[in-house]
Amino acid sequence: MNGETGHVTGTKDKDYNLLWYVEACLSNALRMETYLKDAERDGDDEVAELFRKAQADSRKGAELGKQLLARRLSGTGTGSTDTGTTTGTSTGGDTGCGEGTATVPGEAAGTGGSPAPAGDPGALPQDPGTP
């Protein structure tokens, strides 16, 4: 689909995408909890650590997304070139909670330390159903 589809949802695409990203990160953090418990139950510390890191990255992505949403909803940082800084705890690794290659607005790419583990790369997820 080409062009803005916000007339269908009543929400601009970029705003919808931000909302979707936060929900995806939160959902992924919950999913990682299940995976983490499975790995711990099986005594697989290596896999458990992977899921622990992935969960932390998902929480960080959700937090950054929520902060950006809050700024947008309060009327600050509404420009398309918003480069405001965000506060929050860094877990190492890039911010993200799914598959994709984009970085979170307001955070310089590659500033998070070591790359995120495979299966939860430090990038914004790409929703195939989103225009």
Side-chain angles (χ1 to χ4, degrees):
M1 233 179 215
N2 292 333
E4 174 72 36
T5 60
H7 65 280
V8 175
T9 64
T11 304
K12 289 184 124 195
D13 288 352
K14 67 181 181 74
D15 296 334
Y16 173 89
N17 295 344
L18 183 56
L19 290 164
W20 178 88
Y21 172 74
V22 170
E23 187 278 332
C25 287
L26 294 170
S27 178
N28 198 57
L30 288 172
R31 183 181 310 252
M32 290 302 108
E33 185 68 18
T34 299
Y35 296 171
L36 174 59
K37 288 186 186 306
D38 290 347
E40 288 175 340
R41 185 183 59 245
D42 289 345
D44 194 331
D45 294 336
E46 187 176 26
V47 171
E49 183 61 22
L50 172 72
F51 292 139
R52 203 172 283 114
K53 288 178 181 179
Q55 185 180 51
D57 287 344
S58 292
R59 286 178 179 154
K60 182 180 177 189
E63 187 59 34
L64 291 172
K66 289 189 298 184
Q67 290 172 8
L68 183 54
L69 269 173
R71 287 198 314 267
R72 298 287 175 104
L73 293 173
S74 70
T76 61
T78 57
S80 61
T81 57
D82 179 27
T83 57
T85 58
T86 57
T87 58
T89 58
S90 175
T91 60
D94 293 340
T95 307
C97 61
E99 298 176 351
T101 58
T103 56
V104 173
E107 182 171 288
T111 60
S114 62
D120 191 51
L124 293 174
Q126 303 297 314
D127 180 8
T130 302

